[in-house]
Amino acid sequence: MSPAWTSLMSVANVVRCRRFIGRIAADSLKSYRNYTTRLKPRTTVVASPLTSSLNVAKHSIITQDVTRCNIVNLRQFSTDGSISNVLTEEKEDIDPFSLVQDDLNHLCSNIKQELRTDVGCLFDISSYHFDGMGKFFRPMVVLLMAKACNIHVAYNVLDDSGSKGSIPLSSSQKVIAMLAEMIHTASLIHDDVIDKAEMRRGKPTVQKLWGQTRAVLTGNYILAVASIALARIRNEEVVTVLTQILEDLIEGEFMQLGSKEQENERFSHYLKKTYKKTASLVANTCKAVAIISQCSENVIEIAFEYGKHIGIAFQLIDDLLDFISNEIVLGKPASADLKLGLATAPVLFAAHQYSEINPMIMRRFSQPGDIQRTLELVAKSDGVSSTLFLAKEHCKEAVKNISQLAASRERQALINISHRVIDRLK
């Protein structure tokens, strides 16, 4: 084949890949609007759909060390070669963590107080991961959303100086943030049992130290204690919203156990699973604090949509980091998903360019050489940069939603979080 023809075929593949990414971006947003509308007939906010054709080209320079698949440089360029601002610039240098630091500083101690028990070593095991070493991403988002909603509701009675200050959080809103971390941690303990994982957050897992039986029971105990704390809020609507998270977690785990045989159904299956296992927790806890703020139906939906999109973006970046980071940075083994037989976004995008990945997906990378070959093909493909692009599209939707709330430092912090989700290294 002549060099000119090879070059032409390469360009054609890039064009087809961009169209595919655009279709995935549009379909994923449409899919979740349809799914969440079915769950919540109250939906009143509909974000503008993404166009199916992308005008932005992605460029990633990847090292040839495909066993680690390290990205040396990952930038996004517009078609004219200039750097494209996919997200709005941070207008204020606001550290999201600093606005809720006092509440987060007490989070672990409050959780440990809830977990107190005289039964054997149950307290020691259940409090093991509440050591203050986590990212606290979920409770941080929930607390910021609660403050932003409180300010939005009180907007008309505040002064018009442009600085709206801050509104105290209610005790119930603080409880929701605590529950977000408890449910998340319980799900991680259960995940580690299913995955037979030995490391989590840079230290041995619960199941590694105490065995599978105690790990399963510990996860159940944390969820039970969280349920009791939720009941004390005495808000039926909030209870319904939070229990939806538990249902989604279980359904998402079951979805992860299987894979769609039809190639065109795999990405939809993956995104729906991602929503259930990760984004539902962020979306529904944001919704819960908006309900407690006595927000309008419209604002409650805005809170839910923000949490949904930021949660999906967070998981997309998590799946991306599994290919480009290492165990020391992540605090858990890299390339773990492939070793568990899971095809995440980078692999699914790569499969669109290299069809030989499809049979490996179906056999869950179980044959000798499957994982190594998949790493090689992902490194050669646009899988990583396409995943990054899709994560940015979800962040854009999150920003579009939260920007409808009244201006405040907390609202700006939620906007800034979208940048940090994309830029994070672990």
Side-chain angles (χ1 to χ4, degrees):
M1 186 177 293
S2 69
W5 178 251
T6 301
S7 176
L8 183 60
M9 290 295 291
S10 177
V11 171
N13 284 335
V14 170
V15 171
R16 283 197 296 271
C17 186
R18 290 179 194 165
R19 288 174 179 168
F20 174 68
I21 301 167
R23 190 165 65 251
I24 288 296
D27 289 349
S28 68
L29 297 174
K30 180 180 178 182
S31 172
Y32 286 101
R33 289 192 191 103
N34 292 340
Y35 174 68
T36 53
T37 297
R38 178 172 59 81
L39 288 178
K40 311 179 302 311
R42 69 158 105 227
T43 303
T44 54
V45 176
V46 179
S48 301
L50 296 172
T51 60
S52 60
S53 60
L54 305 181
N55 294 321
V56 181
K58 290 150 303 297
H59 173 65
S60 60
I61 304 174
I62 305 177
T63 66
Q64 295 305 307
D65 183 2
V66 295
T67 60
R68 290 182 296 168
C69 196
N70 293 321
I71 285 195
V72 177
N73 185 29
L74 186 58
R75 304 176 69 190
Q76 185 162 21
F77 294 87
S78 63
T79 52
D80 62 1
S82 60
I83 296 176
S84 171
N85 293 319
V86 177
L87 300 174
T88 57
E89 293 294 331
E90 295 187 18
K91 294 181 180 179
E92 298 180 59
D93 185 19
I94 296 174
D95 177 15
F97 184 85
S98 67
L99 296 184
V100 290
Q101 185 170 1
D102 289 343
D103 292 301
L104 290 177
N105 286 343
H106 296 96
L107 185 71
C108 287
S109 60
N110 291 340
I111 292 174
K112 288 180 179 179
Q113 187 62 38
E114 295 287 338
L115 294 173
R116 287 286 175 190
T117 176
D118 297 327
V119 179
C121 59
L122 181 55
F123 173 74
D124 291 335
I125 303 175
S126 62
S127 62
Y128 174 68
H129 277 305
F130 299 111
D131 56 0
M133 301 304 292
K135 293 187 286 288
F136 298 134
F137 171 76
R138 291 156 187 82
M140 177 180 68
V141 170
V142 173
L143 290 170
L144 288 171
M145 180 62 73
K147 288 191 172 188
C149 287
N150 290 351
I151 290 172
H152 185 85
V153 170
Y155 183 83
N156 291 329
V157 298
L158 294 172
D159 63 51
D160 294 322
S161 63
S163 177
K164 301 301 176 185
S166 186
I167 304 295
L169 294 166
S170 72
S171 59
S172 294
Q173 289 173 322
K174 293 179 182 180
V175 169
I176 298 300
M178 181 183 72
L179 297 182
E181 187 66 13
M182 292 178 74
I183 294 172
H184 171 59
T185 302
S187 72
L188 294 183
I189 293 173
H190 285 159
D191 279 350
D192 289 341
V193 172
I194 295 170
D195 301 340
K196 297 181 175 59
E198 297 186 352
M199 294 293 293
R200 169 73 65 179
R201 293 176 177 172
K203 63 182 186 177
T205 59
V206 170
Q207 70 97 23
K208 174 68 174 177
L209 293 177
W210 288 283
Q212 292 187 356
T213 300
R214 284 188 173 88
V216 171
L217 292 173
T218 297
N220 291 348
Y221 175 67
I222 294 172
L223 291 176
V225 172
S227 298
I228 293 171
L230 173 61
R232 290 201 299 265
I233 292 179
R234 297 184 180 279
N235 185 313
E236 184 177 346
E237 188 174 7
V238 169
V239 170
T240 300
V241 169
L242 267 292
T243 51
Q244 181 65 52
I245 297 171
L246 301 181
E247 179 182 328
D248 286 340
L249 277 171
I250 296 169
E251 290 182 349
E253 196 62 57
F254 267 84
M255 291 179 70
Q256 185 165 281
L257 295 175
S259 180
K260 290 292 184 181
E261 292 189 13
Q262 297 297 321
E263 296 171 22
N264 60 352
E265 295 179 359
R266 284 185 193 144
F267 218 106
S268 176
H269 180 86
Y270 161 77
L271 287 171
K272 189 172 181 181
K273 180 268 298 181
T274 296
Y275 168 76
K276 285 178 174 291
K277 281 203 66 179
T278 304
S280 174
L281 173 58
V282 186
N284 282 299
T285 47
C286 283
K287 178 178 178 179
V289 293
I291 292 171
I292 294 170
S293 294
Q294 298 184 332
C295 292
S296 66
E297 299 290 313
N298 184 59
V299 173
I300 291 171
E301 183 62 20
I302 287 172
F304 178 89
E305 289 292 313
Y306 174 87
K308 178 184 73 176
H309 288 293
I310 213 71
I312 293 172
F314 187 92
Q315 187 59 50
L316 285 167
I317 296 298
D318 210 53
D319 293 342
L320 180 154
L321 290 174
D322 196 49
F323 283 87
I324 68 173
S325 194
N326 58 60
E327 183 171 347
I328 295 175
V329 174
L330 290 176
K332 57 185 179 182
S335 303
D337 291 330
L338 286 178
K339 295 170 186 175
L340 293 170
L342 304 178
T344 55
V347 175
L348 295 174
F349 277 123
H352 183 71
Q353 292 175 271
Y354 299 99
S355 60
E356 67 176 282
I357 294 178
N358 290 313
M360 291 189 281
I361 291 174
M362 289 310 301
R363 59 178 181 257
R364 298 178 74 85
F365 315 103
S366 59
Q367 293 186 7
D370 279 357
I371 293 177
Q372 177 66 22
R373 182 56 178 158
T374 301
L375 286 171
E376 293 173 358
L377 294 174
V378 170
K380 289 168 58 178
S381 74
D382 293 327
V384 169
S385 54
S386 297
T387 301
L388 177 65
F389 182 84
L390 184 57
K392 287 183 176 181
E393 291 299 298
H394 279 285
C395 281
K396 284 169 64 178
E397 289 295 310
V399 170
K400 187 183 299 183
N401 276 278
I402 200 63
S403 296
Q404 298 177 65
L405 296 189
S408 65
R409 288 171 58 81
E410 286 75 13
R411 187 192 74 170
Q412 186 59 46
L414 289 167
I415 292 173
N416 291 355
I417 283 174
S418 67
H419 298 267
R420 300 188 180 206
V421 164
I422 296 298
D423 294 337
R424 71 190 182 96
L425 297 176
K426 62 180 180 176

